[in-house]
Amino acid sequence: MPDMIDFQTDPSRYLHWRVDYDGPIANLYMDVNEEGGLFDGYQLKLNSYDLGVDIELADVVQRMRFEHPQVKVVVMQSGKPGVFCAGANIRMLSGAAHNHKVNFCKFTNETRNAFEAAEQDSGQKYLAAVKGTCAGGGYELALACNHIMLTNDSSSSVSLPEVPLLAVLPGTGGLTRLTDKRKVRRDRADIFSSAEEGVRGQRAVDWRLVDEIVQNSKFDQVVRDRAEQFAAAWDGPDDPVEGIALGPLDRKFAEDGSVSYSLVDVRVDRGGRKATITLRGPDTGPATDMAGFAGQGDQAPMLRLARELDDAILHLRFNETELGLVVIRCQGDPEKLLAHEALLLDTRDHWLANEVLQYWKRVLKRIDVTSRSLVCLVEHGSCFAGVLAELLFAADRSYMMEGEFEGDNRPIASITLSASNFGLFPMGNNLTRLQTRFLGEPGSVDAAKAQIGEAQEAGEAEEFGLVTMILDDIDWDDEIRIFMEERASFSPDAMTGMEANLRFAGPETMETRIFGRLTAWQNWIFTRPNAVGKIGALQCYGTGVRGEFDQERV
Amino acid sequence: MVDLLNMSYDTQIPNNVGLSADKKVLKALEKWHPGYINWWNDLIPEKFQKSMIYLRTAVSVDPKGWAKFDYVKMPEYRWGILLAPGVEDRLIPCGEHKGEPAWQEVPGEYRNLLKPLIVIQGDTEPASVEQQRFLGMTAPSLYDMRNLFQVNVEEGRHLWAMVYLLQKYFGRDGREEADDLLLRSSGSEEAPRLLGAFNEETPDWLSFFMFTYFTDRDGKMQLESLAQSGFDPLSRSCRFMLTEEAHHMFVGETGVGRTIERTCQAMNEAGIADPYDTGKIRDLGVIDLPTIQKKLNLHYTLSLDLFGQEVSTNAANAFNAGIKGRYLEPRIDDDHQLRNDTYRVWGIVDGKLIQHEVPALTEINMRLRDDYTRDAAGGVGRWNRIIEKAGLEFEMKLPHECFNRKIGVFAGHDFDPEGNLLSGAEYEAGLPTWLPTHADGDFIQSLMRPVSEPGQFAGWISPPKVGIDNKPGDFEYAKLHMA
Ligand SMILES: [Fe+2]
Ligand SMILES: [Fe+2]
């Protein structure tokens, strides 16, 4: 087992994927190295995947946007004959601790959402070209693509065999995308999801499981044609172009588990079971235009900050599972930060401005579904403005300093909203965080909107409902300490459940159903003896002995 | 009343399963039948379709007299559905249901496990006919031609047997699978056969003999283990197929043996003692022994790949469910459930071949493969006795199981036939002496000239010791249609 799971990688280190770039088309080959599992004790046969495979895929998807913006169509296919992808590796799953399984599923869900949304967000359409077995998580990969092609060779098929084979669910969006995205009739979805065997040929089209079937001998040609056709149908601006390189992060780990990046600092307090993330706003003004921004490349502060924060969150999720409370602070000049953001907002039709903003959207969503207690501390000298103000609304609670604090000569704490808080960063429920926050008082959203660009000090911030509580010099330390101690004393399970329920008010979307309903059911099943008990199906898989079920319906 | 021993001809399809009373299945089979006849007619060259071939036809499942020999035009062959007689009170022989009464219907919980087994078995039957479709043109004698077609029509019947099971027991899915068995075809770009080895053409008669010796023997082992199935109709079906399969392996063993015999004879007549004096031996119009060994290496290793991955969850599930047993299951001295047993297999650790003990349940394929290897060794010994008797120094050998493997733990590693791990360069260098080269293939091909006079044989192969159905040496096994 690796000491630490690292989410940073680059194409020179890929074990499982390769990409051939051909103008507007990228051919993405999944060719999983059997011996390249992240942990010991299993082989990644038949293009099955573990977290390591998915970390590379997430990297591919991210680089596709920033480094290869000219790509309009990504053809996801297998580099192995006879199999597209057999899904998540079962021995890995049966050997993994519960929290790893849950985190693994969450991360893979986020990656699938990211490439699924790439068409809408970035004009990059993912096409699944399926030849051979496409089972379970393999079909879930295809389901998240924007178009699925299946060869018609009378043996290639798509299937979701989790229920009959493993007594768990197709939990990486599988069940939800069947009904919500592909709108498969529920009785057919029922048959499909309870059969070990796949559906192939015409029935796969009739049941809406794939978009088209293709004559086997012409498959490669038709896939190429389709990719070219999709690429030609692109009607957005043609400006890109050349991408920018995403270099390695500037990152140091300390003995005590703390991590420091260039603009992000993560302090670890194991005794207090908390991590404090401090974000640093930019010291200087922004580039004059997007050409200048592109010149800064991955060093442009708005991009650097997003990448570092993203990595920090993933690191905490996987490598620091006992830090139940994440405190988010920031320091910097709000006006400078807003100037940086304004460049992006004003030139949103520039591909790179769009990508950076879309990336922030994904990072913020990642924070939304991070199962730690999140609290923002709005201190003097902080820069909760524009995109960083979103953190206040992503957090479970926020506390703000009110008035002068003795011996503290930093600028008085303030919060400044920008246009970005009103539509640019929707949550999974498709509402903004402010809309979700003020679900019962939509007038408050309008009132807040009228304050765009105005720095709100504590009194106003409280009046507009932007923070949970404001505290003066006398109360601050004690109140914060008591809150943290209390939080640390609660059951982590209850916290996770309570927070996840309170965070996503309002309408359901496919995304909330995946992260809420499907994931919750899956995680429940992941703790049940019928799946993971000594004689549960997941544990017995591969031994030849069948799992034994407790027949009681719960 | 259904006569379980004798075929009934009250429907278009000869059978001993009471088809005339089973309207549903009869209807499905009759619907499938024209497609099958088309498949056959498109496949076998017309000249042979119109010829009269001296074939045996299964007319009963009575072990004492199940077949009848006569001239028949192949398209009029009576492909029938025959199950071996049921064993009274048969019990499931293995797995978690061991000792329970055998199933006469498919248990719902095992439907998904059972169907692919039948589909894959069914897929190999027509595949081999497709692979061998052009061999009639170059038959070294009428006797051999007849043997080829005998094997072909029986593989066709085996397809029928599997189609019957699919249509009778697997509902609509089963009917679709039965249709797809005719849709896929060997080597097709559109819809190839399911197993790789069944998509290679059988290019010459020595390959045919090797194929029927080695690959039909894989078929035998699969049938043997399916004959142990707790699903009784499958068991009975496979038991009867095995009686036919024996002849296929006989054709293979004697075919290779007669080739060896002729080579030895020609060498002795020419006074050549060195089996490696290839040029001179080939000038005699016979196939040198080292080339025969190379063919053996190829076909044996391809057949080993058909047993699949060494560690197999599917095989374990099938055994534990009682739907597929092991070779001669009742004779094995264990609990037939493999709760705690281990099995010794080869593996590669740090680049070295080692044997280790693993749970026997996941090694079902491996055990069957080992049984296969033992079974295959018998004929090789008999071939060596022919060489010995001719006074020549040469020994045919089965290569080590790690040589030339594309599936399983040895795939991707380069071993020589003795089992030594080699570098890529060493392997490349040795390959022409271990596996047939293009030049070897061309040479064999050059010998493939048809001989169609009764009692006459091509110069590279000896006549058989005894005729089929005890017919005399000059018997006309095929009356060829002359256009
Ligand atoms: Fe057969
Ligand atoms: Fe056979």
Side-chain angles (χ1 to χ4, degrees):
Chain A
M1 169 162 179
D3 305 341
M4 191 194 92
I5 296 171
D6 190 354
F7 289 84
Q8 296 303 310
T9 184
D10 66 69
S12 71
R13 290 191 278 161
Y14 290 172
L15 294 174
H16 310 296
W17 298 86
R18 60 175 201 278
V19 194
D20 292 341
Y21 294 95
D22 180 10
I25 296 168
N27 281 296
L28 170 57
Y29 295 96
M30 182 178 205
D31 192 357
V32 175
N33 179 340
E34 282 191 10
E35 307 299 333
L38 197 55
F39 305 101
D40 292 335
Y42 55 85
Q43 287 179 309
L44 296 172
K45 294 205 166 149
L46 297 170
N47 261 3
S48 60
Y49 60 82
D50 68 353
L51 180 64
V53 177
D54 236 77
I55 288 173
E56 288 183 10
L57 175 60
D59 191 68
V60 168
V61 172
Q62 179 78 340
R63 286 178 199 278
M64 198 65 77
R65 286 166 158 179
F66 282 95
E67 300 190 344
H68 306 279
Q70 73 283 3
V71 169
K72 298 294 166 239
V73 178
V74 182
V75 183
M76 188 184 285
Q77 54 209 300
S78 168
K80 288 187 164 47
V83 60
F84 177 78
C85 167
N89 186 278
I90 295 159
R91 283 173 202 276
M92 175 278 294
L93 276 180
S94 59
H98 180 70
N99 79 55
H100 181 82
K101 283 204 280 284
V102 171
N103 269 321
F104 165 73
C105 290
K106 185 177 285 178
F107 181 76
T108 53
N109 266 320
E110 289 170 325
T111 305
R112 276 138 203 71
N113 287 353
F115 68 77
E116 182 172 50
E119 180 176 23
Q120 216 196 342
D121 291 354
S122 310
Q124 293 186 331
K125 189 177 181 108
Y126 279 70
L127 187 167
V130 180
K131 235 180 167 167
T133 312
C134 176
Y139 181 51
E140 291 179 312
L141 270 176
L143 275 173
C145 289
N146 309 107
H147 189 82
I148 309 177
M149 302 173 78
L150 172 66
T151 196
N152 191 14
D153 60 358
S154 99
S155 59
S156 295
S157 66
V158 297
S159 63
L160 290 178
E162 282 88 344
V163 167
L165 219 52
L166 305 168
V168 300
L169 304 180
T172 315
L175 291 179
T176 316
R177 282 196 177 87
L178 270 192
T179 51
D180 288 37
K181 179 183 186 182
R182 302 206 59 95
K183 304 189 167 43
V184 176
R185 239 172 55 192
R186 68 171 260 208
D187 50 355
R188 288 175 171 168
D190 182 287
I191 293 176
F192 180 65
S193 312
S194 54
E196 187 180 323
E197 202 186 359
V199 172
R200 61 182 189 241
Q202 189 57 41
R203 189 187 292 174
V205 178
D206 295 344
W207 285 21
R208 312 174 59 88
L209 299 170
V210 303
D211 293 290
E212 54 180 317
I213 49 170
V214 181
Q215 207 186 327
N216 191 44
S217 62
K218 304 222 168 87
F219 187 71
D220 296 343
Q221 185 58 48
V222 176
V223 168
R224 244 192 325 272
D225 291 350
R226 194 72 69 246
E228 276 164 17
Q229 192 185 327
F230 287 147
W234 163 249
D235 60 356
D238 266 335
D239 45 307
V241 238
E242 257 181 55
I244 58 162
L246 299 179
L249 296 181
D250 171 6
R251 184 178 63 168
K252 280 180 207 68
F253 294 92
E255 285 282 295
D256 68 349
S258 296
V259 198
S260 44
Y261 302 82
S262 72
L263 296 175
V264 174
D265 183 71
V266 182
R267 289 284 115 211
V268 165
D269 168 10
R270 292 199 203 284
R273 290 201 286 280
K274 82 173 185 238
T276 304
I277 299 179
T278 305
L279 309 172
R280 205 149 54 75
D283 312 321
T284 54
T288 47
D289 55 16
M290 282 313 293
F293 189 107
Q296 295 171 353
D298 64 358
Q299 292 308 301
M302 290 304 282
L303 177 53
R304 199 153 34 115
L305 194 56
R307 292 182 73 204
E308 293 177 355
L309 177 57
D310 199 21
D311 188 68
I313 294 289
L314 289 171
H315 170 71
L316 290 175
R317 272 195 198 168
F318 279 85
N319 297 313
E320 295 290 353
T321 51
E322 292 193 5
L323 305 180
L325 176 65
V326 173
V327 180
I328 302 175
R329 304 169 63 242
C330 63
Q331 290 287 296
D333 177 351
E335 284 183 20
K336 286 215 178 74
L337 177 74
L338 286 169
H340 278 262
E341 190 191 67
L343 172 64
L344 300 174
L345 297 181
D346 294 347
T347 49
R348 267 193 74 193
D349 48 356
H350 187 280
W351 75 271
L352 183 55
N354 176 56
E355 285 309 337
V356 174
L357 291 170
Q358 298 290 2
Y359 185 30
W360 270 105
K361 178 175 84 177
R362 296 196 292 279
V363 175
L364 289 165
K365 284 185 176 188
R366 202 183 303 279
I367 293 172
D368 288 335
V369 296
T370 295
S371 55
R372 307 297 164 90
S373 299
L374 302 173
V375 60
C376 284
L377 299 185
V378 187
E379 299 169 19
H380 293 327
S382 65
C383 53
F384 283 104
V387 60
L388 292 195
E390 283 295 304
L391 295 168
L392 300 171
F393 317 132
D396 299 300
R397 293 193 199 179
S398 55
Y399 295 92
M400 187 171 183
M401 288 182 171
E402 183 195 16
E404 300 274 344
F405 276 43
E406 203 186 314
D408 187 342
N409 58 3
R410 295 176 296 178
I412 290 288
S414 71
I415 294 167
T416 315
L417 300 179
S418 78
S420 75
N421 303 111
F422 298 89
L424 216 49
F425 306 121
M427 300 173 64
N429 61 10
N430 230 359
L431 301 181
T432 64
R433 287 180 187 75
L434 280 172
Q435 282 170 328
T436 309
R437 183 175 183 84
F438 296 127
L439 201 61
E441 39 184 301
S444 297
V445 179
D446 299 332
K449 201 167 182 176
Q451 301 301 316
I452 285 180
E454 304 288 330
Q456 319 277 334
E457 293 190 5
E460 295 148 303
E462 183 173 50
E463 185 190 326
F464 285 110
L466 304 183
V467 291
T468 312
M469 200 179 281
I470 56 175
L471 297 165
D472 61 16
D473 193 14
I474 299 167
D475 293 333
W476 177 265
D477 282 346
D478 253 3
E479 287 287 342
I480 300 287
R481 180 183 58 78
I482 288 166
F483 162 72
M484 288 180 182
E485 286 175 7
E486 179 191 63
R487 205 71 178 184
S489 74
F490 289 138
S491 150
D493 298 339
M495 282 301 100
T496 295
M498 180 186 89
E499 290 155 3
N501 275 283
L502 298 181
R503 282 179 196 174
F504 299 92
E508 285 270 35
T509 63
M510 185 170 85
E511 203 172 313
T512 59
R513 276 166 38 74
I514 289 172
F515 282 113
R517 196 182 295 250
L518 180 59
T519 302
W521 281 113
Q522 177 79 311
N523 293 347
W524 175 69
I525 290 170
F526 273 161
T527 62
R528 296 280 299 160
N530 285 342
V532 295
K534 262 210 182 66
I535 49 170
L538 202 52
Q539 297 305 317
C540 288
Y541 182 79
T543 63
V545 179
R546 276 197 305 172
E548 262 175 57
F549 298 141
D550 172 353
Q551 292 297 344
E552 189 185 23
R553 280 273 189 154
V554 182
Chain B
M1 174 67 214
V2 182
D3 180 348
L4 281 177
L5 284 182
N6 293 301
M7 197 70 121
S8 82
Y9 290 96
D10 54 356
T11 66
Q12 250 189 35
I13 303 152
N15 69 90
N16 74 338
V17 293
L19 215 46
S20 60
D22 194 344
K23 291 290 178 250
K24 193 187 78 179
V25 178
L26 181 62
K27 206 175 113 205
L29 280 169
E30 283 177 349
K31 211 166 142 222
W32 187 82
H33 188 225
Y36 173 80
I37 294 296
N38 284 342
W39 169 79
W40 182 270
N41 284 336
D42 290 348
L43 197 63
I44 303 292
E46 200 189 337
K47 171 181 169 185
F48 302 117
Q49 307 275 17
K50 293 188 173 158
S51 299
M52 300 294 283
I53 317 284
Y54 192 71
L55 295 176
R56 71 175 181 189
T57 304
V59 290
S60 149
V61 291
D62 182 348
K64 285 184 240 82
W66 60 276
K68 168 172 145 271
F69 284 88
D70 206 349
Y71 286 104
V72 58
K73 282 189 191 151
M74 285 187 284
E76 289 159 21
Y77 188 81
R78 313 226 39 180
W79 285 285
I81 296 162
L82 288 162
L83 304 190
V87 174
E88 219 177 307
D89 300 324
R90 179 165 176 264
L91 303 178
I92 297 169
C94 59
E96 64 175 83
H97 300 286
K98 179 182 173 298
E100 298 171 23
W103 301 295
Q104 299 305 325
E105 291 291 334
V106 178
E109 60 189 321
Y110 297 133
R111 192 175 193 274
N112 275 319
L113 207 52
L114 198 45
K115 196 179 66 178
L117 292 179
I118 297 175
V119 169
I120 287 179
Q121 184 64 40
D123 197 65
T124 62
E125 309 289 357
S128 64
V129 185
E130 290 158 357
Q131 292 172 288
Q132 297 158 9
R133 59 188 300 185
F134 296 116
L135 290 178
M137 314 286 224
T138 56
S141 70
L142 292 180
Y143 166 87
D144 288 291
M145 179 188 288
R146 176 260 163 224
N147 284 352
L148 168 71
F149 290 139
Q150 183 71 62
V151 171
N152 288 169
V153 293
E154 285 174 355
E155 299 303 5
R157 206 202 65 73
H158 292 175
L159 170 61
W160 271 94
M162 293 298 114
V163 164
Y164 168 72
L165 293 176
L166 287 171
Q167 295 194 331
K168 177 154 174 73
Y169 296 101
F170 293 89
R172 193 183 70 168
D173 285 357
R175 290 197 295 279
E176 282 174 12
E177 292 288 2
D179 291 344
D180 281 0
L181 287 173
L182 292 177
L183 203 131
R184 285 187 288 270
S185 86
S186 178
S188 156
E189 268 190 78
E190 292 306 343
R193 290 291 171 193
L194 297 173
L195 302 177
F198 286 89
N199 285 307
E200 308 288 336
E201 202 197 318
T202 307
D204 56 65
W205 277 79
L206 183 54
S207 302
F208 170 66
F209 294 140
M210 289 293 182
F211 186 96
T212 42
Y213 185 76
F214 286 110
T215 309
D216 279 57
R217 190 176 308 274
D218 158 70
K220 168 189 165 181
M221 302 310 283
Q222 300 301 335
L223 291 174
E224 286 278 8
S225 49
L226 292 174
Q228 303 298 333
S229 179
F231 177 48
D232 206 40
L234 177 61
S235 162
R236 291 171 54 199
S237 200
C238 291
R239 270 193 284 140
F240 188 70
M241 288 159 78
L242 279 166
T243 55
E244 292 163 317
E245 208 62 51
H247 179 62
H248 307 177
M249 285 173 293
F250 163 84
V251 169
E253 181 178 332
T254 55
V256 175
R258 288 159 54 214
T259 308
I260 292 173
E261 186 183 349
R262 178 67 196 116
T263 302
C264 295
Q265 187 188 25
M267 284 171 67
N268 281 336
E269 284 166 6
I272 302 170
D274 178 7
Y276 293 95
D277 201 349
T278 311
K280 274 200 196 141
I281 297 169
R282 289 186 175 186
D283 285 345
L284 303 173
V286 295
I287 305 169
D288 52 288
L289 300 178
T291 297
I292 299 175
Q293 173 70 53
K294 285 194 250 180
K295 285 285 225 189
L296 180 161
N297 289 348
L298 177 69
H299 284 270
Y300 174 64
T301 52
L302 284 174
S303 300
L304 291 183
D305 276 348
L306 289 171
F307 288 84
Q309 299 285 343
E310 284 86 355
V311 177
S312 166
T313 299
N314 271 341
N317 290 345
F319 177 84
N320 191 57
I323 64 174
K324 188 175 178 183
R326 293 169 293 176
Y327 181 52
L328 303 178
E329 183 72 46
R331 294 197 209 159
I332 300 173
D333 180 24
D334 63 17
D335 66 354
H336 302 280
Q337 293 183 315
L338 302 179
R339 290 201 194 283
N340 302 305
D341 302 65
T342 59
Y343 191 73
R344 177 166 278 263
V345 297
W346 286 105
I348 303 179
V349 173
D350 299 329
K352 281 200 193 68
L353 272 182
I354 53 138
Q355 287 199 305
H356 53 125
E357 297 279 336
V358 290
L361 197 47
T362 57
E363 296 291 334
I364 295 289
N365 283 345
M366 198 51 233
R367 180 180 181 115
L368 192 64
R369 203 175 84 194
D370 288 344
D371 288 331
Y372 167 81
T373 294
R374 274 187 288 276
D375 201 58
V380 178
R382 287 185 285 278
W383 296 336
N384 281 328
R385 278 201 281 288
I386 299 172
I387 303 173
E388 231 174 275
K389 240 169 94 186
L392 291 168
E393 297 248 338
F394 192 87
E395 195 190 350
M396 296 282 168
K397 276 193 198 118
L398 293 179
H400 195 283
E401 61 192 272
C402 60
F403 172 67
N404 188 38
R405 299 299 305 284
K406 303 286 180 283
I407 291 176
V409 293
F410 304 117
H413 300 274
D414 294 331
F415 289 96
D416 69 12
E418 311 293 320
N420 303 306
L421 189 58
L422 303 181
S423 72
E426 291 167 324
Y427 184 70
E428 290 302 321
L431 218 42
T433 60
W434 302 325
L435 290 176
T437 60
H438 275 290
D440 295 334
D442 291 346
F443 168 69
I444 296 173
Q445 211 48 257
S446 75
L447 299 180
M448 296 297 123
R449 297 274 175 271
V451 173
S452 52
E453 293 295 309
Q456 298 298 303
F457 287 82
W460 57 271
I461 190 166
S462 295
K465 297 266 175 313
V466 278
I468 293 295
D469 196 26
N470 288 317
K471 294 294 174 197
D474 60 352
F475 184 72
E476 191 173 11
Y477 287 101
K479 295 182 181 168
L480 291 184
H481 172 81
M482 297 301 166

